[in-house]
Amino acid sequence: MQDTSQDLAVEITALHKWYGAFHVLQEISLSVQRGARIVICGPSGSGKSTLIRCLNGLETYQRGTVRLDGIRLGDDARQTTLARRRTGMVFQSFNLFPHLTVLANCTLALRRVAGMARHEAESLAYHHLDKVRIPDQARKYPAQLSGGQQQRVAIARALCLNPHLMLFDEPTSALDPEMIKEVLEVMTGLAQDGMTMICVTHEMGFAREVADEVVFMDQGRIVEQAAPSTFFATPSHPRARTFLNTLLH
Amino acid sequence: MGFDIDFALSTVPAILGAIGMTLLVALASCLGAATFGFCLEILRRPGGILGLVVRFLIDFIRATPVLVWLYCLYFILPFYGLRLSALTVGITGLSLYYSGYLAEVFKAGIDAIAKGQQEAARALGLGRLDSIIFVIAPQMLRNIAAPMGNYFVSILKATPYLAVLAVPEMLGQAFDIASETYRYAEPLTVAGLIFLALALAIAQAVKWLERRLSAPTSR
Amino acid sequence: MSMLDIWLGILQGFRVTASVTLYGLVFAIPFGLVFGVAQYLTTGLARVIVTAVIEFWRSSAVIILLFVFYYAMPVIGVTLPAMAVGAMVLGLNVGGYASQAVRAGLQALDRGQKEAGQALGLSRQAILLRIELPQALVAMSPTFINLVIQLVKATSLVSLITLTDMTFRAKEIAQIAYEPVPIYLSLLLAYFVACYPIALVGRWLERRVNPAREARHGL
């Protein structure tokens, strides 16, 4: 048990969550190997965003366990904080801090959480802004950037803390079509660098190209879990088939 | 000397007896302020020289203390031979003062009505006054009910200013008791507590009304 | 009495008016910040207590509070100078309003701001100080400016507890010379001159703050 969990970036066992009487997550079990790229998809309301938010403690859960790098989440605040430092999260609505420049968005946690000196934090931030290809916007404020640029800044901000695991919660659904591509390119590059990634997304092209595994959720359960080639060619669950059809048409 | 609870309790009936005067002043001033305020907003709306003058008047009222307005009316009117009762002066003063605030409430309430409504009224050939009375005002009432309620609470809290003019509302009553007995702490504290309870109760009622009014999202 | 004499007389009270305002801010700013944040963060019994303290200062009629503290505190053995009582009561009253603005500003922020801070591993304190408060305070800055004006105007009340502010001076002059018209109109004008520039700053802030807010939410 201890040995296998050492290789796992994420290990979810028998997770349940309720919002009042509403059973959002039911008996979720999922293991993610280091370096794996998982895409979670499913109709809206299927619980996929709730699941990914359980992975860094933004949501609490009532039953089951979530381990990140073997650390159990939800037991106490310190463990949750430790686990958070190993994860980076990218939100659908970017959630950049509007009162801070792009650079300050990136350096805030480096300085406050990692206790880094200013110039050190800034050079690290520039390194990651470079990676997402917007180093020249560092002194601007988020409102001055396009949506695609803002989301790339959000990715750089998350990368600055050197996470072991990146969580993406529908990172492209708030973007215009022409901006989706630039964000997906950055994410693909990240996958090629070997980052462990869990992405909630409806970008099936991205799933096909990048994912090791596609997890399909419906009504709070994982109903299908397969390699993308299998999932797209021969989805076994009827609801997965319906879902894929609606995406294609 | 200490705070004499028994004496404090003995002042309650007399002070509470003035609650009617307090509410009368608050209601009359609120009605007056709404009337003046609506007129101010209607005069300001079309712009032009008159609009600018009214706008300045509203700014002026909002940049000056209500106490000074009360003094102005109370001391200046008799100078011109106009002798009004302290109560009338007080209500007029509060009405004038809060009209500057209610004008802004009406402005926001009218601005929130879709532009198309006024255009439709004009297209139907309604005159300015008719379109205000039959099209704008009914829709505005809904928009302004909640802020009006909040200003009613503000006006209520301003009614004890009239004690300065010797109007026998609750604070005035408390001062009467104080000057007869030479004990200030007890009656003033009682008046303060009654006022606090009254203001909280009415604020709660306004909140309730607000929820009731905003409940139906469509009509 | 010449206009100049009247003006110079009223101006003699400006120092007291300004002092009460500034000392009032010394009470209002910490109270508004601390209690606004506390009401935002606390739950259960703690929140009830915080709310009760805020409501006491905010929902009471400020004129009565002033008298109660001026007359009642010596009775229970606390004797403070009138300036201290005035600054404290007026400051905490305005501070009560400010706390509501602080709380509303914090509550109006997008939930994602706090979550993004949490996801970055920032402590609750760092999220509050670095992310939530800066945005809330900027968004609410026009409201705070209005509250400063409210405080300046409320200082006219300290004339009722023997402080020689502008209002007190005007009444003094009016007792020497029966010329209420120029005296009280000058007094109104004096407050206008003190408050209107602050109002203009508030309007400028409003214009600066609001477009930013639209850009933030409009995407």
Side-chain angles (χ1 to χ4, degrees):
Chain A
M1 181 79 197
Q2 198 59 19
D3 287 337
T4 53
S5 67
Q6 286 298 306
D7 299 332
L8 292 177
V10 179
E11 188 187 16
I12 306 170
T13 36
L15 184 70
H16 286 263
K17 177 176 175 63
W18 286 265
Y19 282 126
F22 179 47
H23 204 165
V24 232
L25 296 177
Q26 310 183 24
E27 195 65 23
I28 303 279
S29 292
L30 181 68
S31 296
V32 180
Q33 300 283 334
R34 287 229 167 89
R37 276 90 63 173
I38 309 291
V39 162
I40 304 177
C41 58
S44 61
S46 59
K48 48 196 195 311
S49 279
T50 310
L51 176 62
I52 202 172
R53 287 159 61 88
C54 282
L55 298 183
N56 67 349
L58 284 182
E59 297 281 354
T60 56
Y61 50 88
Q62 282 83 32
R63 200 147 23 106
T65 55
V66 175
R67 288 175 196 277
L68 289 184
D69 287 340
I71 303 172
R72 221 181 114 154
L73 266 188
D75 282 352
D76 66 49
R78 191 175 300 170
Q79 298 287 60
T80 307
T81 312
L82 265 179
R84 273 189 187 144
R85 293 195 51 179
R86 293 159 187 260
T87 58
M89 182 150 196
V90 176
F91 299 85
Q92 177 180 349
S93 49
F94 327 140
N95 292 349
L96 291 178
F97 305 131
H99 62 302
L100 300 178
T101 61
V102 164
L103 188 62
N105 261 279
C106 292
T107 56
L108 178 64
L110 285 176
R111 302 194 58 197
R112 304 294 307 172
V113 180
M116 216 175 256
R118 183 194 172 123
H119 67 276
E120 204 183 341
E122 286 187 351
S123 71
L124 192 58
Y126 271 115
H127 169 75
H128 287 291
L129 287 171
D130 210 23
K131 262 184 136 174
V132 301
R133 302 197 297 273
I134 32 179
D136 46 331
Q137 316 280 5
R139 300 283 170 189
K140 290 193 178 167
Y141 284 89
Q144 295 169 283
L145 305 184
S146 73
Q149 289 173 319
Q150 291 193 46
Q151 193 59 300
R152 284 187 282 147
V153 169
I155 295 173
R157 179 176 76 175
L159 287 175
C160 276
L161 285 162
N162 196 21
H164 301 192
L165 167 69
M166 283 290 285
L167 306 171
F168 293 86
D169 186 5
E170 305 208 26
T172 55
S173 353
L175 295 175
D176 294 334
E178 65 267 28
M179 293 170 183
I180 292 178
K181 193 164 155 270
E182 62 189 59
V183 171
L184 289 181
E185 277 170 7
V186 167
M187 289 169 65
T188 308
L190 208 55
Q192 281 160 357
D193 292 348
M195 175 64 76
T196 315
M197 293 164 65
I198 302 180
C199 315
V200 172
T201 182
H202 288 167
E203 292 300 326
M204 290 302 129
F206 174 78
R208 207 186 294 259
E209 200 181 318
V210 175
D212 302 311
E213 208 166 33
V214 178
V215 172
F216 177 74
M217 289 182 70
D218 190 36
Q219 296 180 353
R221 295 174 183 278
I222 294 180
V223 292
E224 184 154 357
Q225 188 176 353
S229 51
T230 327
F231 180 74
F232 290 112
T234 53
S236 57
H237 200 283
R239 266 178 289 189
R241 252 174 270 149
T242 326
F243 176 73
L244 283 176
N245 276 332
T246 53
L247 278 191
L248 292 174
H249 300 298
Chain B
M1 192 157 67
F3 191 91
D4 186 342
I5 305 253
D6 289 333
F7 174 60
L9 287 175
S10 75
T11 66
V12 171
I15 294 172
L16 211 51
I19 201 170
M21 179 57 90
T22 290
L23 288 173
L24 169 79
V25 171
L27 271 173
S29 305
C30 194
L31 277 176
T35 312
F36 286 154
F38 189 69
C39 294
L40 285 177
E41 173 53 21
I42 293 306
L43 290 175
R44 173 170 62 170
R45 201 144 260 277
I49 301 281
L50 183 63
L52 272 179
V53 170
V54 173
R55 214 165 110 185
F56 180 78
L57 182 65
I58 292 172
D59 281 355
F60 189 85
I61 291 173
R62 292 167 63 101
T64 42
V66 60
L67 182 66
V68 178
W69 277 96
L70 290 175
Y71 283 146
C72 275
L73 294 179
Y74 192 67
F75 293 116
I76 289 179
L77 292 182
F79 188 79
Y80 290 111
L82 194 57
R83 301 209 171 269
L84 300 173
S85 72
L87 181 63
T88 314
V89 169
I91 291 173
T92 311
L94 291 184
S95 299
L96 262 180
Y97 183 74
Y98 280 97
S99 69
Y101 289 84
L102 289 185
E104 297 293 320
V105 171
F106 288 118
K107 175 173 160 34
I110 294 174
D111 286 349
I113 299 169
K115 267 265 176 310
Q117 293 292 316
Q118 284 193 53
E119 285 166 8
R122 210 166 301 154
L124 288 173
L126 289 178
R128 255 186 63 77
L129 195 62
D130 278 350
S131 77
I132 288 171
I133 294 173
F134 296 106
V135 180
I136 305 303
Q139 299 188 55
M140 182 191 66
L141 283 179
R142 195 190 175 88
N143 295 339
I144 62 164
M148 276 285 282
N150 290 329
Y151 274 111
F152 179 70
V153 177
S154 297
I155 292 171
L156 178 80
K157 286 193 274 178
T159 56
Y161 281 90
L162 269 61
V164 175
L165 314 181
V167 171
E169 48 66 70
M170 288 200 288
L171 179 64
Q173 195 69 42
F175 266 113
D176 280 352
I177 297 170
S179 57
E180 279 163 23
T181 58
Y182 297 103
R183 298 188 67 114
Y184 284 83
E186 291 87 353
L188 288 172
T189 307
V190 167
L193 289 176
I194 294 175
F195 249 105
L196 181 58
L198 189 62
L200 285 174
I202 292 180
Q204 217 47 46
V206 168
K207 261 188 205 161
W208 176 81
L209 198 72
E210 204 175 334
R211 271 200 300 275
R212 283 285 309 257
L213 279 173
S214 63
T217 45
S218 62
R219 15 168 152 191
Chain C
M1 196 175 267
S2 77
M3 219 42 204
L4 186 67
D5 291 331
I6 293 173
W7 266 95
L8 287 176
I10 290 174
L11 210 59
Q12 279 184 345
F14 181 76
R15 254 178 75 99
V16 172
T17 296
S19 303
V20 177
T21 304
L22 291 178
Y23 292 135
L25 287 175
V26 171
F27 285 93
I29 293 169
F31 184 90
L33 271 177
V34 169
F35 278 80
V37 168
Q39 203 181 28
Y40 173 64
L41 291 180
T42 51
T43 51
L45 182 65
R47 190 168 208 267
V48 172
I49 294 169
V50 168
T51 306
V53 174
I54 292 172
E55 287 304 322
F56 172 77
W57 287 109
R58 195 180 74 104
S59 291
S60 290
V62 62
I63 178 172
I64 303 192
L65 274 183
L66 195 64
F67 284 130
V68 167
F69 277 81
Y70 184 69
Y71 286 110
M73 276 172 50
V75 171
I76 54 168
V78 186
T79 308
L80 293 174
M83 176 69 91
V85 174
M88 181 187 78
V89 169
L90 301 182
L92 293 182
N93 176 250
V94 163
Y97 286 100
S99 74
Q100 297 310 286
V102 169
R103 196 214 61 219
L106 288 168
Q107 282 176 339
L109 286 181
D110 190 312
R111 207 163 61 109
Q113 290 293 310
K114 183 180 154 196
E115 288 180 349
Q118 287 175 321
L120 288 171
L122 293 171
S123 66
R124 188 69 192 86
Q125 189 192 339
I127 292 173
L128 182 70
L129 292 179
R130 306 265 162 174
I131 297 170
E132 294 178 301
L133 267 182
Q135 295 183 57
L137 295 184
V138 168
M140 286 312 198
S141 53
T143 306
F144 297 136
I145 295 293
N146 278 335
L147 288 175
V148 174
I149 297 173
Q150 194 180 315
L151 178 61
V152 176
K153 291 192 293 179
T155 59
S156 61
L157 286 173
V158 299
S159 65
L160 301 174
I161 56 167
T162 71
L163 288 178
T164 54
D165 75 327
M166 298 199 294
T167 304
F168 190 95
R169 292 291 182 198
K171 278 163 73 185
E172 223 174 33
I173 301 166
Q175 275 168 2
I176 302 167
Y178 182 62
E179 294 174 56
V181 182
I183 294 172
Y184 286 107
L185 290 185
S186 299
L187 182 60
L188 272 183
L189 204 58
Y191 280 103
F192 178 75
V193 167
C195 291
Y196 196 59
I198 309 176
L200 291 180
V201 170
R203 256 171 231 177
W204 173 79
L205 267 177
E206 181 91 55
R207 276 196 302 274
R208 288 219 39 177
V209 167
N210 270 333
R213 222 188 289 171
E214 274 158 33
R216 208 182 304 153
H217 296 301
L219 281 165

